[in-house]
Amino acid sequence: MVNEQIVITDVGPRDGLQNQPIILDVGQRLQLIDAIADAGVSSIEVGSFVSPKAVPAMRGTEDVFAGLSKANGVRYTALIPNMKGYERAVAAGARAVTMVLYASDGMAKKNVNMSMLQADRVTADILTRARAEQIEVTAIIAVAFDCPFDGPTDPAVVRASTANFLSLGANQVVIADTIGAADPQQVRSLTADLVSDNGAARLGCHFHDTRAMGLANVFAAVESGVRRFEASIAGLGGCPFAPGASGNVATEDVVMMLEQMGFATGVDIKALLRASDIAEQLTGTALGGRAKPWLQKRMNKQAG
Amino acid sequence: MVNEQIVITDVGPRDGLQNQPIILDVGQRLQLIDAIADAGVSSIEVGSFVSPKAVPAMRGTEDVFAGLSKANGVRYTALIPNMKGYERAVAAGARAVTMVLYASDGMAKKNVNMSMLQADRVTADILTRARAEQIEVTAIIAVAFDCPFDGPTDPAVVRASTANFLSLGANQVVIADTIGAADPQQVRSLTADLVSDNGAARLGCHFHDTRAMGLANVFAAVESGVRRFEASIAGLGGCPFAPGASGNVATEDVVMMLEQMGFATGVDIKALLRASDIAEQLTGTALGGRAKPWLQKRMNKQAG
């Protein structure tokens, strides 16, 4: 599998920043996004079109889109909660949007005050319109392994939802371990079923490192044939008050592992570490992927 | 594979403590060993019979053996470098010893000033005597994936050495990623070959978390059928001046992952966290497995 490609979407500027105690202004958010793009990450979630009251950190995502470097071929996507969010995204110039599906009623209720099926219907409607308008759609299935309200997720629910939204024409369905509860055996089993059901081309995975199993879960999904992953620069995300304990799996860790395994991610790890430093400086939190101290040491050695 | 057993050897009191800047006295080392044993870890590397000049932290391993709780069925082992070490170990009451083999000449030269083959011969001689005296022998193959002096290790060397020492009657051969360089794909590939060559019953693995791939590598080996792992309480080991960057994979992380995957380790995770706290207090270093903050939160919730 030498040089087989893996596509990484960095969700730090959205999933990461919205969980930080410090709110960045548009210029700072663009600085971070540009640094990630400069490292060669070809897909970045740059914001969300939700209510600025509900998520103050994502205020001004229109201005973020206005300020993006457009010539570099990067796929910029934004999270949208509903049709109004979709319209705001398209008006702002987004050519790709991300929507959240739920694999439990408890999480759907808590997040959007709907049932799973109601949330599915909202997403299906947006998807129909987005296809007509040639806007790319990623559907994220939240709590695909475990839900803080409803407990362990039935894999059959995830399989049905994945098949459904792929058949409806979603460009990508991403299986998300939203609370970082999955172990690699569960991941291996579910992703093998999903690849067998649908092929791997439009499947992605999103892991958190809460229980330190982030990279193990990435590897398990790779073994099943998954070639798309979401990750967050510097491991941004999760609870900012327990550094290292939570957060998304760090982009630098995922890139390091996959490149060592012989995959082509297109990412320059040295430039990515600079983006990671910027994330730390801007958020005022010493984050960094788990492997960052080792990576820095290697870089210094190569420079010396 | 529900309830299938996995045997964990905690190497913290040896591999871990010898890399700490603070040297513990025999009473403190026994306190740590007893806490690990109390948590249900059935195999512990408690010291080494090397020159106290070379490794001051392991001075007095005879006294450690004299002070061990013997009634709990725990397998206590000690590292020995040569026949003199073997004799000291047996005289101290050890019924199990651990010896190091090398998968590169560079590492053999650096560590024991011998070639790989010379080191093999020393170990083979001790093994012959140990079998006659019914002393259990674990042979560790150091730098089984990558060597800081000779570069990437030829898997054929590891396969030949493993088959050789298993056929000579070693109770266990452990494949060690001494410098924490392996990725899970390499581990999956090499361990699959080793299990195919020799079966899994007497194979073990030893990983470091230098590049945050410790648990991914454990999972990869589990997928190949390996059911024996070495780990270190609180992730003790490696360089003490870069917490989180190096060190052995933490016993608490390994136990957490394997138990969640449905394996039986025999370990009480709550008691293991107490042992981890003791390791931190005694060494004066905030170590702890990577998943410790999450584990502690879960424990507090259960207690509340």
Side-chain angles (χ1 to χ4, degrees):
Chain A
M1 69 177 49
V2 172
N3 291 328
E4 198 184 333
Q5 264 205 320
I6 288 198
V7 177
I8 290 169
T9 296
D10 195 302
V11 299
R14 200 282 302 171
D15 197 2
L17 290 184
Q18 78 175 32
N19 283 297
Q20 291 300 310
I22 290 179
I23 292 182
L24 305 192
D25 64 31
V26 168
Q28 292 171 316
R29 287 159 69 190
L30 282 167
Q31 189 192 349
L32 179 60
I33 293 163
D34 287 344
I36 297 168
D38 286 347
V41 177
S42 61
S43 172
I44 308 175
E45 192 172 273
V46 296
S48 68
F49 292 97
V50 295
S51 151
K53 267 188 200 153
V55 187
M58 291 294 105
R59 183 191 296 274
T61 295
E62 276 88 354
D63 300 328
V64 169
F65 267 91
L68 289 171
S69 315
K70 298 284 182 348
N72 56 10
V74 171
R75 172 186 169 276
Y76 296 113
T77 182
L79 190 78
I80 57 166
N82 49 33
M83 192 63 87
K84 192 182 156 200
Y86 172 81
E87 287 167 353
R88 282 177 60 200
V90 174
R95 303 299 305 159
V97 294
T98 298
M99 292 180 299
V100 181
L101 303 168
Y102 300 90
S104 79
D105 277 316
M107 193 62 154
K109 188 85 190 161
K110 188 82 182 174
N111 262 30
V112 288
N113 198 28
M114 292 188 221
S115 70
M116 268 194 277
L117 285 179
Q118 286 171 325
D120 279 6
R121 247 172 266 141
V122 169
T123 296
D125 286 346
I126 300 175
L127 182 51
T128 305
R129 178 153 166 201
R131 288 190 66 191
E133 297 177 354
Q134 295 188 297
I135 301 295
E136 202 183 295
V137 172
T138 296
I140 311 270
I141 303 184
V143 293
F145 296 93
D146 203 352
C147 170
F149 311 109
D150 295 0
T153 301
D154 181 357
V157 171
V158 180
R159 288 176 76 171
S161 188
T162 302
N164 182 28
F165 280 89
L166 286 175
S167 75
L168 290 174
N171 297 75
Q172 198 184 147
V173 171
V174 172
I175 309 309
D177 180 24
T178 309
I179 58 169
D183 69 67
Q185 197 138 279
Q186 288 175 284
V187 172
R188 181 77 172 91
S189 163
L190 180 59
T191 53
D193 286 341
L194 294 174
V195 169
S196 155
D197 291 346
N198 313 285
R202 291 188 287 151
L203 278 181
C205 284
H206 171 120
F207 297 115
H208 284 244
D209 211 14
T210 319
R211 302 186 194 182
M213 291 189 265
L215 286 183
N217 289 338
V218 170
F219 173 69
V222 166
E223 283 234 296
S224 295
V226 174
R227 297 293 179 266
R228 293 174 181 275
F229 291 94
E230 293 191 350
S232 178
I233 187 73
L236 277 172
C239 174
F241 305 111
S246 195
N248 289 63
V249 65
T251 309
E252 48 268 50
D253 287 354
V254 174
V255 168
M256 168 200 65
M257 183 176 81
L258 294 175
E259 289 278 340
Q260 190 180 326
M261 281 162 56
F263 289 97
T265 63
V267 179
D268 175 342
I269 192 82
K270 197 165 183 175
L272 194 66
L273 287 177
R274 283 196 295 270
S276 172
D277 288 344
I278 288 169
E280 293 192 27
Q281 285 152 17
L282 291 175
T283 60
T285 314
L287 301 146
R290 295 186 188 274
K292 195 168 175 182
W294 176 79
L295 282 166
Q296 283 171 327
K297 218 170 114 191
R298 189 178 65 167
M299 294 302 153
N300 292 340
K301 224 184 234 172
Q302 285 173 352
Chain B
M1 68 176 50
V2 172
N3 292 329
E4 197 185 335
Q5 265 205 318
I6 289 198
V7 178
I8 290 169
T9 297
D10 196 300
V11 299
R14 199 281 303 170
D15 198 2
L17 291 184
Q18 77 174 32
N19 283 298
Q20 290 301 310
I22 290 179
I23 292 183
L24 305 192
D25 65 32
V26 168
Q28 292 170 315
R29 287 160 67 189
L30 281 166
Q31 188 192 349
L32 179 61
I33 293 163
D34 286 345
I36 297 168
D38 287 347
V41 178
S42 61
S43 172
I44 307 174
E45 192 171 274
V46 296
S48 69
F49 291 97
V50 294
S51 152
K53 266 190 202 155
V55 188
M58 292 294 106
R59 182 190 298 274
T61 294
E62 275 88 354
D63 299 328
V64 169
F65 267 92
L68 290 170
S69 315
K70 298 285 183 343
N72 55 9
V74 172
R75 171 186 170 278
Y76 297 113
T77 182
L79 190 79
I80 58 166
N82 48 34
M83 192 63 89
K84 191 179 157 204
Y86 172 82
E87 287 167 353
R88 281 177 62 198
V90 173
R95 304 297 306 159
V97 294
T98 298
M99 293 180 300
V100 182
L101 304 167
Y102 300 90
S104 79
D105 276 317
M107 194 61 154
K109 187 85 190 165
K110 188 83 181 175
N111 262 31
V112 287
N113 199 25
M114 290 187 221
S115 70
M116 270 194 276
L117 285 178
Q118 285 171 325
D120 279 6
R121 247 171 264 140
V122 169
T123 296
D125 286 347
I126 300 174
L127 182 52
T128 305
R129 179 153 164 202
R131 290 191 65 190
E133 297 176 357
Q134 295 187 300
I135 301 294
E136 202 183 295
V137 172
T138 296
I140 312 269
I141 303 184
V143 294
F145 296 92
D146 202 352
C147 169
F149 312 109
D150 295 0
T153 300
D154 181 357
V157 170
V158 179
R159 288 177 77 170
S161 188
T162 302
N164 181 28
F165 280 89
L166 286 175
S167 75
L168 290 174
N171 298 74
Q172 199 185 147
V173 171
V174 172
I175 308 308
D177 180 23
T178 310
I179 59 169
D183 68 67
Q185 196 137 281
Q186 288 175 286
V187 171
R188 181 76 173 92
S189 164
L190 179 58
T191 53
D193 285 342
L194 294 174
V195 169
S196 155
D197 291 347
N198 312 285
R202 291 188 286 153
L203 278 181
C205 284
H206 171 120
F207 297 116
H208 284 244
D209 211 14
T210 318
R211 302 186 195 183
M213 292 190 264
L215 286 184
N217 289 337
V218 170
F219 172 69
V222 166
E223 283 234 296
S224 296
V226 173
R227 296 294 179 262
R228 294 173 181 276
F229 291 94
E230 293 191 348
S232 177
I233 188 73
L236 277 171
C239 174
F241 304 111
S246 194
N248 289 63
V249 64
T251 309
E252 47 268 51
D253 287 354
V254 174
V255 167
M256 169 201 63
M257 183 176 82
L258 294 174
E259 289 279 339
Q260 188 180 329
M261 281 164 55
F263 289 97
T265 64
V267 178
D268 176 342
I269 191 83
K270 198 165 181 175
L272 195 66
L273 286 177
R274 283 196 294 270
S276 173
D277 288 343
I278 289 170
E280 292 193 27
Q281 286 153 16
L282 291 174
T283 59
T285 313
L287 302 147
R290 294 185 188 274
K292 196 169 177 183
W294 176 80
L295 282 166
Q296 282 170 329
K297 216 170 115 191
R298 188 177 66 168
M299 293 304 154
N300 292 338
K301 224 185 236 171
Q302 284 173 354

